[in-house]
Amino acid sequence: MIQLIAKRLAAAAVIVLALTAVMFFLQKISPVDPVHAMLGPSASPAAIVAEQKRLGLDRPFLAQYGSYLNGLLHGNLGMSYRTRRPVSTDLGSFLPATAELSVYALIFALILAVILALGSTLRWPGSSVFRLLLIAGASAPAFLLGIVGILIFYSKLGWLPATGRTSVLNPPTGPTGFLTIDGLLHGEPSVTFDAFRHLLMPALAVAAIPAVSIGRVLRSSLIGQMRADYVRTARAKGLTERQVVLGHVLRNSVNAALSMTGLQVGLMFSGVVVIEEIFGWPGIGQYMAQSIPAADFPAISGVTLLLGAGYVAVNTIVDILQAIADPRINA
Amino acid sequence: MTTLDTAASQPDTMEAVARVENLSITFRRGALNIQAVRGVSLEVRRGEILGLVGESGSGKSVLGMSLLGLLPGEPAPVTSGAVTVCGKDMLNGSAGLRRAVRRQHLGAVFQDPMTSLNPTMRVGRQVIEAAGSEDEAVRLLRAVGIPDATRRMASFPHELSGGLRQRVMIAMAIAGRPALVIADEPTTALDVMVQAQVLALLRSLRDEIGCSFLMITHDLGVAAQIADRIAVLYAGRIAELGPTATVLHAAAHPYSAALTRSRLSLSSERGRPLVTLPGEVPDPAGPPPGCPFEPRCALARDECSVTMPEPVEVAPGHLSACILPPGEVAAAFAPAPPASRITTLDEAAADVPAAPAGRPASAAAAEPAVAARVQDVAKTFRVKSGRRRVGLQALRGVSLQVAEGESVAIVGESGSGKSTMLRVIAGLERADRGGITLGRGAGPQMVFQDAGASLTPWLTVGALIGERLRHAHLGAAQRGERVEEALAHVGLPAHVARARATQLSGGQRQRVALARATVVPPEVLLCDEPTSALDVSLAAVVLNLVARLRRELGMAVLFVTHDLSVARVVADRIAVMYLGRIVELGPAEQVVASPQHPYTKALVRAVPDLGVTPAALPGEPASPLDPPPGCAFNPRCPVAEPACADPDFLPRLIKLRGEQDRTVACIRAEVN
C-alpha cells in the first residue's frame, strides 16, 4: 500500500511538472509582453531593457524555466499586471472562498450520489422518484439551478441569502480560511451557521450534476453487484438486507463511482467559476473573470496551475481510495 | 441450543429437518412461463446426506434455493405446495422468519468459491459474520482443515487457493451448528484431488456435527461418494428416489439407469462410441404432457406420452416415476445398453472416440509424419504477488510430439500449465525458450471450455463460421455452402447458420465452436476442456463428435482436461503434467491401468467413481510462483526420498524398462 501511494504521488508530481512546462510555454508565446504590461505604454526603451534584465528575460529559455520553477517552489507565481500585487497574495485572499465552496460541493455531491443510487436501487415505494431524478437531474445546468434557487429560496421565501460568503461584518480570519471551520475554532458558532447558510445554495447548485453522474455510475454498479454470487452467500448466512448492502455490496460498488468522482471534480471547477458570478462569491472565479479581459497572464496561469494541481491531487486520492476499497488492485 | 428448541417444540421434525411437499415453482419471463419445479415432494432426514442429482435445467438448484427461502427473480416466481425447514415455512413465511431460519438452522455452500466469497472482505470477517465471534471463526477454520487458521483470518479470498476458499465457505456453512447444509455443486469448480479432499471433509463434518446435507450435483459419481440417499430430478420432477446403492445399481427409472450408464469412468469402454443419451432436456416453458423423459426413453410406450407418471413406491423407501415395472427397466439396462437406440451400427464404427487400431498402417512402420512438435518449451508470466513482481513458471521445459491424425490428452490440475501449453502451440502466447514446429497443413484451431463465451454474441453462427473462409476468396453462395457443410458435419441443421449464439443450447454452442474450428480442417485441433462445463450426457456426445471429426478430417487432436476418464477415452496417448513439466507419457489405457509416477497414481485414485472411495493426497498443490526444488512433486509425494528435493536433481522423462513408448520422470525410474 505504501509503495502504491508513493508511486501515485510520483506520478502526480510528474503531471504537475508537465503542467508547469505547458503554462511557461504558453506564457512565452502569448502576445502580451510582460515588460510592456508592467511598465505601461509610455516607458522609455532604456527602462524596458533594464526591466528585462531585472526579470531575467535576456537569459536562455531553459534558465528562465528553471528560475520560474524555483519561484513556484517558493510560492512565487509572478506579479499580476492588473492588481500590481504578487499573484500568490491575490490567490491567498480569493482561494479560501473557492476552496470552501468546492469542498462542500464535493461533499454534497457524494452524499447526494449515494442517496440517489441507494434510493433508486433498493426496493421501496419511492424508488421510481429517485430513478426519475437520476434521469432528469443531468439536464439541469448549474447556473439554471442557481438562478431558480435564488428566485425561490431568496426572493420568494427569504430562507437563504443570495450573495457573498457571510453577513457577519468582521468574520474571524484563519487559520483554515474556511469560515464554517474558523467560526467554530474562534468559538463563534453563529459565524459557522451564517457561512453555512450562505454556501448552501451555491454548493448544491455546483453539486447537482456531479451528484447525478456519480449516482448513475454507483447505481449501475450496485445493480450488477447485487446479482453477484457473494451476495447470495451473505443472504444465506441470514444477514439482513441492510447488512448485505452496506456491509458487502457498497464497498464492491464504489470503484467506478470513484473514477467518475475524479472526472467530475474537473468539471466542478468550471461550474464553480460560473456559480461564483451568480452568487457574488468572492472567490477565484471572480478573480478569473476580471483577469481574463485584462490579459493578466500571470494571474491566469497561477489560477490554472492551482486548479490543475487540485485536480491532480483529487485524482491521486481517488486512485489510492480505489486500491483501499479493492485489495485486488494492489495485488 | 437450536437442537433443543426444535426437538421440544416440533417433535414430528425429529425425523425430517426439511420437508418439501408437492412443490411447484414457475418463473415468468415475459410471455413465457418457465416451470422450474413441477410437483416435487421429498424430505431430508436428520443427519443424512441426500444427493440431489440432475442435469442443468432439472430444477435442482431452484429447489435448493427454495429450501434457503431465497428464490430469485423479479417478478417473484409463482409457487404452490410447501417447503418447511425445522418446522418453519420457507416458501410463504415472512422475510424475517426465513432469514432467522437461515441464520439458526441452515448453511450453504455454492459452486464457485471465488465468486461466492466477497472479494473485498477479509475471510476472517466473512466467517465472523456467520460465527458470531473471532474465536469461534478461528475454531471453525481449524475444523475445516485450514492450516495456520489464525493467520488466514486476515487473508483476502484471492490470496487463497481454490480448495482453501471452498473450505472457508464450508466453515461459514457449519457455523452455529446448522440442522441442514445446502451444498450446491460444491466440488464442480475444483480439481479432482481437491474434490476428493472436500468430499471427505463433508463426510467427516456430518459425522462430527450431525447436521444433514442436501448435496446438489450433476455428477452421479460425486453423489455416490457421499450420499445416503439419492433423488434424481428430471425436468422439474422426481424421477427416482431411494438409497444410494439401489439407485446406482438397481435403478427403477430408465433416466437414472441411462445417466449411470452414460457416465464416464476409468472403466468405460474405449473401443466403441460412448453411450449417449439422445435428445435434450425438454423446454421448461412447454414441457410435454406425458412423462418428461418419454422423448428420450429407450423403453417408452404409447401411453407414456399421454399421462405423467407420479413417483410411486416400488420398494420400501424407493420411489420411481415410471409405469414400467422396475424389473423390466433393470433387465433392459443390465447386460448391455440397447445400442440400436443410441447409434446405428454404421455410426458406431465411425464414432469410436479413440481408435488406436485405426491408425494408418504406415504409422507403425516408418516414423509418422508430425502434426506438431514441442521442444523444450518454457514460459514464465510476470505477475504481481503482494508487493513484488514475480515469475509464474507455467511451463518449465516441455517436449511433446503429436503425430498426424494422433490424439494426445494433456492431464493435470489447475496450475499445471496444460492450458498454457495449448495457447503456446496455437500461437496465442510466445514461448520464452524452445521451439514449436507445426506440420504443413492448415494452422491449428482451438475449441474452448466455455462455448457460450467464445462465440461473439452479435454475429450469426453463419458469420462466425464464414469468418474463417475469408482468405479462401469464395463467393457468398459458395461460402454459404461450406458453412452448411461444416454444420452438417457437427450434426446441426442448416438453419442454425441464421441463429445467434445466445439462442442456442450449451450443446449446440459447443457444436458450433467445433464447426468453426473445422470448416477449414486444421492440422491439429486444440481442445481446452471442451466438455467440462457440459452435462454428462452432452459431454459424451461432444467427445464422440470430436472423435468422428478427427477420423473424417484426418486431424490430430491435442485435448487438455483435468479428468482422467475423459482423457482415457478421447486419446491415444496421455501426457500427465505437474507444475509445468510432463511427469508421465504413454498409451492412454496403460497410463490409467498401471500408472508409474506417484502423481499419476494419486490422480487415478482421486477420480470419483461408483462404489469406490477415492483417496486424496493431503495438502495443496505447489505454487507455480515458487516450484519446489528438484522434483516439484516431492513435498506431496508419498514415496519421496531426500534426493528428490536436491536442487540439482532434474527429473527427466525416461523410457520404462521393457516398454517402447512409455516414459516417466521419477527418480525411481532412473534408479531402476
Side-chain angles (χ1 to χ4, degrees):
Chain A
M1 181 54 70
I2 291 164
Q3 198 192 22
L4 178 118
I5 292 174
K7 248 190 226 168
R8 291 286 182 273
L9 286 179
V14 170
I15 295 169
V16 172
L17 191 68
L19 184 64
T20 62
V22 170
M23 292 318 299
F24 179 75
F25 182 68
L26 284 179
Q27 197 158 7
K28 285 290 131 191
I29 62 168
S30 86
V32 183
D33 180 15
V35 176
H36 281 284
M38 297 280 283
L39 299 181
S42 55
S44 68
I48 288 176
V49 172
E51 182 68 12
Q52 278 179 336
K53 204 167 186 71
R54 194 182 71 78
L55 291 174
L57 294 178
D58 53 342
R59 292 192 300 148
F61 194 75
L62 265 181
Q64 285 186 44
Y65 179 55
S67 54
Y68 168 74
L69 273 186
N70 191 38
L72 284 184
L73 280 180
H74 294 90
N76 179 10
L77 293 165
M79 296 290 282
S80 164
Y81 304 157
R82 188 172 57 84
T83 65
R84 310 268 160 182
R85 279 179 304 181
V87 172
S88 50
T89 312
D90 284 350
L91 288 181
S93 56
F94 288 106
L95 181 67
T98 299
E100 186 169 29
L101 181 59
S102 304
V103 166
Y104 276 92
L106 182 59
I107 293 171
F108 289 161
L110 289 175
I111 294 173
L112 283 176
V114 172
I115 292 175
L116 284 171
L118 287 177
S120 63
T121 310
L122 299 181
R123 263 177 251 165
W124 69 292
S127 64
S128 51
V129 176
F130 281 76
R131 275 201 292 278
L132 196 71
L133 279 176
L134 277 180
I135 295 166
S139 41
F143 67 86
L144 190 67
L145 283 177
I147 291 169
V148 171
I150 289 177
L151 287 177
I152 295 175
F153 294 103
Y154 171 72
S155 307
K156 266 260 178 266
L157 301 170
W159 289 356
L160 293 169
T163 49
R165 287 181 81 189
T166 176
S167 349
V168 179
L169 283 180
N170 285 310
T173 49
T176 63
F178 281 31
L179 288 179
T180 48
I181 295 175
D182 288 344
L184 288 179
L185 291 177
H186 287 82
E188 294 178 54
S190 61
V191 173
T192 298
F193 182 69
D194 179 68
F196 190 74
R197 269 166 44 90
H198 276 83
L199 62 74
L200 197 56
M201 258 206 294
L204 280 174
V206 174
I209 288 181
V212 170
S213 308
I214 299 165
R216 277 191 190 181
V217 172
L218 185 58
R219 171 183 148 82
S220 80
S221 304
L222 281 173
I223 290 175
Q225 292 292 324
M226 288 295 278
R227 295 197 203 103
D229 286 350
Y230 67 84
V231 172
R232 184 180 57 180
T233 308
R235 288 186 176 137
K237 281 185 211 170
L239 299 187
T240 63
E241 209 55 20
R242 227 193 79 197
Q243 288 172 316
V244 171
V245 172
L246 298 182
H248 288 262
V249 176
L250 203 53
R251 181 166 172 185
N252 282 294
S253 306
V254 294
N255 235 312
L258 280 173
S259 299
M260 184 48 108
T261 306
L263 290 173
Q264 289 293 329
V265 164
L267 294 174
M268 256 173 58
F269 285 148
S270 58
V272 165
V273 170
V274 175
I275 285 296
E276 284 185 353
E277 276 297 295
I278 293 174
F279 284 90
W281 194 266
I284 281 178
Q286 293 215 343
Y287 183 63
M288 274 295 249
Q290 290 159 4
S291 302
I292 291 172
D296 187 352
F297 206 95
I300 297 169
S301 83
V303 171
T304 309
L305 263 180
L306 211 64
L307 293 186
Y311 181 69
V312 171
V314 167
N315 278 281
T316 304
I317 293 170
V318 161
D319 280 354
I320 292 167
L321 285 180
Q322 282 181 327
I324 291 173
D326 191 341
R328 289 168 298 182
I329 288 180
N330 197 22
Chain B
M1 175 207 99
T2 52
T3 342
L4 277 177
D5 278 356
T6 44
S9 59
Q10 299 277 339
D12 57 319
T13 57
M14 275 302 286
E15 184 59 19
V17 288
R19 189 168 275 142
V20 175
E21 277 162 279
N22 198 22
L23 175 67
S24 291
I25 301 171
T26 302
F27 294 95
R28 285 166 299 184
R29 292 279 176 277
L32 293 178
N33 284 329
I34 312 288
Q35 304 177 38
V37 178
R38 301 187 293 150
V40 168
S41 300
L42 56 79
E43 58 179 36
V44 187
R45 296 171 189 159
R46 185 166 298 283
E48 84 163 339
I49 301 182
L50 176 65
L52 192 59
V53 177
E55 295 177 270
S56 39
S58 64
K60 56 187 192 302
S61 289
V62 175
L63 189 58
M65 291 308 271
S66 75
L67 279 164
L68 285 168
L70 283 176
L71 280 175
E74 192 154 324
V78 182
T79 58
S80 67
V83 178
T84 49
V85 172
C86 295
K88 307 285 190 333
D89 185 349
M90 295 304 278
L91 199 55
N92 302 310
S94 72
L97 173 89
R98 286 180 282 139
R99 190 168 60 239
V101 174
R102 287 198 289 275
R103 177 127 211 117
Q104 295 164 20
H105 303 298
L106 287 171
V109 183
F110 298 110
Q111 175 170 347
D112 187 343
M114 182 71 238
T115 59
S116 294
L117 290 171
N118 184 344
T120 63
M121 194 189 274
R122 296 180 196 279
V123 297
R125 263 191 71 201
Q126 301 192 47
V127 180
I128 290 172
E129 274 188 339
S133 74
E134 189 171 340
D135 292 344
E136 175 65 4
V138 173
R139 192 192 69 76
L140 285 168
L141 289 183
R142 287 211 184 97
V144 297
I146 290 181
D148 209 356
T150 324
R151 195 173 57 86
R152 286 299 184 195
M153 291 280 284
S155 299
F156 285 102
H158 69 270
E159 295 164 345
L160 303 180
S161 70
L164 285 184
R165 278 182 217 136
Q166 196 59 300
R167 284 175 194 270
V168 171
M169 280 294 288
I170 294 170
M172 296 195 304
I174 60 166
R177 291 185 163 260
L180 172 66
V181 174
I182 313 286
D184 192 349
E185 303 269 15
T187 61
T188 306
L190 305 175
D191 280 318
V192 63
M193 208 89 84
V194 184
Q195 166 171 291
Q197 287 176 352
V198 168
L199 288 178
L201 172 67
L202 291 180
R203 239 189 330 254
S204 72
L205 285 175
R206 188 268 304 261
D207 296 341
E208 283 164 28
I209 304 176
C211 63
S212 313
F213 280 91
L214 182 69
M215 177 80 187
I216 301 172
T217 174
H218 71 282
D219 187 347
L220 266 177
V222 167
Q225 293 308 312
I226 186 171
D228 303 308
R229 295 191 301 148
I230 288 181
V232 179
L233 222 55
Y234 188 77
R237 295 187 52 84
I238 296 259
E240 185 164 2
L241 196 165
T244 299
T246 316
V247 173
L248 292 178
H249 303 299
H253 195 285
Y255 175 62
S256 331
L259 210 54
T260 311
R261 190 164 289 284
S262 62
R263 187 175 183 278
L264 272 180
S265 75
L266 291 183
S267 50
S268 297
E269 266 194 77
R270 296 179 70 241
R272 52 183 304 149
L274 302 170
V275 180
T276 61
L277 256 168
E280 290 187 18
V281 178
D283 181 2
C291 170
F293 188 57
E294 180 268 336
R296 303 171 78 185
C297 184
L299 310 171
R301 298 180 177 173
D302 288 346
E303 64 241 62
C304 291
S305 60
V306 185
T307 44
M308 187 152 63
E310 291 297 326
V312 291
E313 196 158 59
V314 293
H318 185 194
L319 302 177
S320 169
C322 182
I323 58 166
L324 294 174
E328 198 169 318
V329 176
F333 282 90
S340 58
R341 171 79 197 209
I342 290 154
T343 38
T344 67
L345 280 175
D346 279 9
E347 278 172 334
D351 252 14
V352 176
R359 295 258 296 273
S362 59
E367 181 80 355
V370 171
R373 176 184 288 136
V374 178
Q375 268 168 318
D376 196 30
V377 163
K379 173 78 193 169
T380 298
F381 296 100
R382 308 300 299 177
V383 295
K384 273 186 179 174
S385 164
R387 301 189 175 172
R388 301 166 300 129
R389 289 189 83 77
V390 292
L392 186 151
Q393 304 182 31
L395 295 175
R396 306 192 296 145
V398 173
S399 299
L400 182 67
Q401 198 161 313
V402 182
E404 260 182 15
E406 190 192 23
S407 169
V408 176
I410 305 176
V411 179
E413 295 172 281
S414 19
S416 64
K418 55 189 194 303
S419 292
T420 306
M421 173 125 153
L422 274 201
R423 298 176 63 83
V424 167
I425 296 173
L428 295 172
E429 304 280 357
R430 188 184 294 273
D432 299 337
R433 150 165 84 77
I436 308 283
T437 321
L438 295 170
R440 312 164 309 280
Q445 279 296 313
M446 242 178 131
V447 179
F448 297 92
Q449 173 176 353
D450 190 343
S454 66
L455 299 174
T456 313
W458 58 83
L459 290 178
T460 63
V461 166
L464 279 170
I465 300 175
E467 248 182 348
R468 291 212 45 230
L469 297 167
R470 245 179 337 200
H471 303 296
H473 304 294
L474 296 173
Q478 276 173 302
R479 200 189 268 208
E481 266 173 45
R482 288 283 296 275
V483 168
E484 228 171 89
E485 215 174 283
L487 285 173
H489 252 304
V490 298
L492 287 174
H495 66 78
V496 169
R498 292 189 299 275
R500 288 188 170 75
T502 45
Q503 298 163 316
L504 304 176
S505 71
Q508 285 175 321
R509 283 184 211 159
Q510 202 53 285
R511 283 170 196 260
V512 168
L514 275 167
R516 175 172 63 175
T518 54
V519 61
V520 180
E523 175 96 17
V524 190
L525 182 66
L526 306 170
C527 299
D528 193 357
E529 306 249 20
T531 58
S532 63
L534 298 177
D535 277 317
V536 187
S537 62
L538 271 177
V541 172
V542 170
L543 292 179
N544 284 342
L545 182 58
V546 169
R548 207 187 70 215
L549 288 171
R550 173 188 158 208
R551 281 182 68 90
E552 287 177 3
L553 305 174
M555 306 176 295
V557 172
L558 199 53
F559 197 102
V560 159
T561 175
H562 67 279
D563 189 340
L564 262 182
S565 45
V566 168
R568 185 177 151 278
V569 296
V570 86
D572 302 325
R573 288 192 298 150
I574 290 180
V576 179
M577 282 187 76
Y578 190 77
L579 230 54
R581 291 206 178 111
I582 294 179
V583 296
E584 182 160 2
L585 176 64
E589 184 71 65
Q590 294 175 28
V591 168
V592 172
S594 67
Q596 293 302 312
H597 194 281
Y599 177 63
T600 318
K601 288 180 185 172
L603 268 189
V604 170
R605 276 200 301 269
V607 174
D609 208 345
L610 315 181
V612 189
T613 305
L617 279 178
E620 296 284 307
S623 163
L625 294 175
D626 184 19
C631 169
F633 186 58
N634 83 75
R636 299 172 81 192
C637 183
V639 294
E641 303 164 8
C644 296
D646 182 352
D648 294 331
F649 168 56
L650 183 87
R652 296 163 302 132
L653 279 170
I654 292 169
K655 274 209 170 74
L656 274 183
R657 180 175 298 185
E659 305 215 36
Q660 251 322 295
D661 42 5
R662 289 196 68 180
T663 52
V664 60
C666 180
I667 200 165
R668 291 165 162 261
E670 300 199 8
V671 173
N672 289 343

